[in-house]
Amino acid sequence: MIIKDVLCPFCGCLCDDLAVEVEDNKVVDVKHACKIGASKIKGHDRIKAPMMRDDKNGEFREVSYDEAINESAKILANSKRPLLYGWASGVCEMMKKGVLLNEEVGGIIDNTASVCHGPSALGVHEKGLPTGTLGQFSNRADVVVFWGCNPVQAHPRHMSRYSVFAKGFFANKGRRSRKVVVFDVRKTDTANLADDYIQVNPGEDYMVLSALRAIVADKADVVPETVGGVPKEKLVEVAEVMKGAKFGIVYFGMGLTQSRGKYKNIDNAVSLITELNAHGKHSIIPMRGHYNVTGFGQVCAWETGFVNAVDMSRGIPYYNPGETCSNDLLMREEIDAAFVIAGDAGAHFPAQSIARMGKVPVIQVDPFHNPTTEMANIVIPTKVSGVELEGTAYRMDAVSLRMRKLVDVDFPSDEEVLDKIIAKVREIKGASS
Ligand code: SF4
């Protein structure tokens, strides 16, 4: 059986044109996906059963779901400062339950954006986000800028489906309809495909953005001969290209959000777009990584008023990045339990944070074995959303799409596990109050 119009549960492109061949309840072939998407749908490194680490020898032993869930609930209910982290590779339905669990345990809920596009949210608080949809950009954009991102490696079908090669209504010659410019500290594979590559000194993006703003505002005379390693004449040339666009789009990645300046870089980039909008139509959009990291921001904002790093220890939502993000808490050695779901703290946190997380009980809920498994005390395997479970996810442009179920499996869903943990936490807390 071929199942068409399948969504890919890997990156923020959330490609929705896959064709998956299923035989005897098994995925045997995936068409139209890139290699990383196909690999996830075909499956690998599954955790086969719930596990708990033996106190004496530190080895995992298989346990029942009930034992793993009850023990997890006990840890969370008795914790004074639990961190609930991840929430990016799952569907929105489970995220809502995550926010509820966080309320029950008075913990801090934070998602993978904390070490990725968290600064983008702060930049948006400062300046807003003149953005649009990938469909709009694909149909209209004639000047495409990638800043600090490398879609060839991180979002392999982005250029063909949305940004560069796609033929759009007003960009009907595809690649030939567009001028592509890359700003980055190194010449990436994306830069190799661009018309122009601007090499920026590491950590000096803010200055380059400021120089472009000055040039766009006809104040080129205040710009020094070189800014951030880029000659002024090159900046004038690129500013002219951007000003001349009928529809310009800037895609930005972690090269901008996690380099020196952080959220101020985003604030400055949004200001550049605002100024360019005096000349043509311009938009900007973050290149989100996990396929539903955008969804968590939506769900968390509906439920708490904030997009991530929400501390419920006061009984009301409190949000202060720099204080309430995962790594802030870990660096202050504040947490006494960690619950990691649909994200991989072990792979993405700095070594010092991981060392500190290793000192507290770690509960992992995930279909796959990954570096977090190495420091987990309890591991609870679940269904792979978008393959074994349907649900809602938000593409990087915040368009919500419905993911399909392709095969049946016996694993519980994230949502079912969360429901049981919530019920058990209530029981434990009810008994002790
Ligand atoms: S580009 Fe992203 S969403 Fe599309 S198939 Fe590849 S991994 Fe999946």
Side-chain angles (χ1 to χ4, degrees):
M1 176 175 61
I2 309 273
I3 305 175
K4 291 190 175 155
D5 303 325
V6 171
L7 275 75
C8 171
F10 192 85
C11 85
C13 287
L14 210 58
C15 296
D16 56 5
D17 60 344
L18 277 48
V20 176
E21 191 176 344
V22 174
E23 245 178 54
D24 297 331
N25 198 35
K26 285 210 163 42
V27 172
V28 292
D29 195 17
V30 181
K31 292 200 165 61
H32 313 315
C34 67
K35 273 190 184 168
I36 46 177
S39 163
K40 178 161 182 192
I41 294 170
K42 284 181 182 161
H44 57 88
D45 293 320
R46 289 300 291 270
I47 300 168
K48 294 189 176 59
M51 300 183 290
M52 280 172 44
R53 229 176 254 287
D54 192 291
D55 288 342
K56 291 197 187 91
N57 62 17
E59 297 294 320
F60 275 129
R61 65 183 166 87
E62 284 192 14
V63 295
S64 66
Y65 271 98
D66 281 347
E67 190 177 351
I69 285 169
N70 291 345
E71 197 54 36
S72 302
K74 222 183 280 172
I75 291 169
L76 292 172
N78 294 324
S79 162
K80 290 200 165 51
R81 201 87 173 115
L83 168 66
L84 282 63
Y85 173 82
W87 313 104
S89 288
V91 291
C92 292
E93 290 79 352
M94 74 88 167
M95 295 168 178
K96 194 175 165 189
K97 294 290 162 70
V99 175
L100 180 57
L101 175 61
N102 193 48
E103 276 181 41
E104 294 290 338
V105 299
I108 303 101
I109 191 162
D110 193 22
N111 77 331
T112 56
S114 190
V115 287
C116 180
H117 272 285
S120 306
L122 295 177
V124 173
H125 296 334
E126 299 271 306
K127 288 280 164 63
L129 192 71
T131 193
T133 66
L134 294 175
Q136 191 183 12
F137 308 148
S138 134
N139 277 305
R140 293 176 181 272
D142 58 342
V143 172
V144 177
V145 174
F146 293 105
W147 201 309
C149 58
N150 181 13
V152 169
Q153 250 94 40
H155 300 85
R157 296 184 75 215
H158 190 278
M159 294 174 101
S160 58
R161 266 176 71 79
Y162 308 115
S163 52
V164 175
F165 302 105
K167 287 187 179 162
F169 191 82
F170 298 104
N172 56 13
K173 295 195 181 75
R175 176 68 181 89
R176 283 183 294 132
S177 306
R178 311 180 204 274
K179 179 102 178 158
V180 179
V181 183
V182 170
F183 288 83
D184 215 319
V185 294
R186 67 181 71 82
K187 196 162 191 197
T188 60
D189 287 342
T190 302
N192 284 329
L193 295 174
D195 297 298
D196 222 338
Y197 163 57
I198 318 293
Q199 184 158 27
V200 180
N201 286 342
E204 296 186 3
D205 304 79
Y206 187 91
M207 289 185 267
V208 175
L209 284 161
S210 298
L212 285 172
R213 285 179 62 191
I215 297 164
V216 169
D218 288 333
K219 299 277 190 289
D221 52 318
V222 302
V223 175
E225 282 315 302
T226 307
V227 180
V230 189
K232 178 177 175 178
E233 63 190 41
K234 190 73 201 168
L235 290 169
V236 171
E237 191 187 314
V238 175
E240 286 308 316
V241 168
M242 293 175 91
K243 263 167 79 172
K246 285 198 184 103
F247 193 114
I249 172 68
V250 174
Y251 297 98
F252 67 95
M254 285 173 65
L256 203 56
T257 65
Q258 295 294 337
S259 64
R260 191 166 57 178
K262 294 210 166 176
Y263 82 95
K264 281 291 176 193
N265 291 338
I266 313 311
D267 172 330
N268 214 8
V270 171
S271 296
L272 171 64
I273 298 301
T274 305
E275 278 148 18
L276 283 166
N277 270 320
H279 302 274
K281 168 71 187 153
H282 294 263
S283 286
I284 183 165
I285 183 171
M287 296 283 269
R288 306 305 300 270
H290 295 75
Y291 73 89
N292 198 22
V293 66
T294 308
F296 182 80
Q298 303 281 328
V299 174
C300 197
W302 303 330
E303 299 288 334
T304 70
F306 304 109
V307 289
N308 69 342
V310 180
D311 181 352
M312 283 299 295
S313 61
R314 295 161 175 83
I316 53 161
Y318 173 74
Y319 160 82
N320 189 22
E323 180 194 348
T324 57
C325 288
S326 306
N327 285 289
D328 306 326
L329 296 155
L330 286 162
M331 288 305 190
R332 294 198 304 270
E333 297 197 76
E334 223 171 278
I335 69 157
D336 57 359
F339 180 84
V340 183
I341 180 168
D344 186 2
H348 300 130
F349 281 4
Q352 213 175 346
S353 292
I354 291 172
R356 289 175 180 181
M357 198 182 249
K359 292 183 189 166
V360 303
V362 176
I363 303 153
Q364 181 191 31
V365 179
D366 206 293
F368 302 108
H369 191 287
N370 59 35
T372 300
T373 318
E374 299 304 317
M375 57 178 171
N377 300 80
I378 303 176
V379 178
I380 306 176
T382 48
K383 288 182 169 137
V384 180
S385 306
V387 178
E388 299 161 355
L389 177 78
E390 70 168 288
T392 300
Y394 280 72
R395 206 168 60 185
M396 65 166 74
D397 54 354
V399 169
S400 66
L401 297 164
R402 192 75 183 160
M403 309 199 77
R404 308 184 67 168
K405 182 175 85 163
L406 311 174
V407 293
D408 287 308
V409 291
D410 291 332
F411 292 104
S413 66
D414 293 327
E415 198 181 347
E416 284 162 346
V417 169
L418 286 164
D419 271 337
K420 286 188 178 167
I421 294 178
I422 291 166
K424 194 71 193 170
V425 164
R426 282 177 176 160
E427 195 184 306
I428 296 168
K429 288 197 165 239
S432 65
S433 62

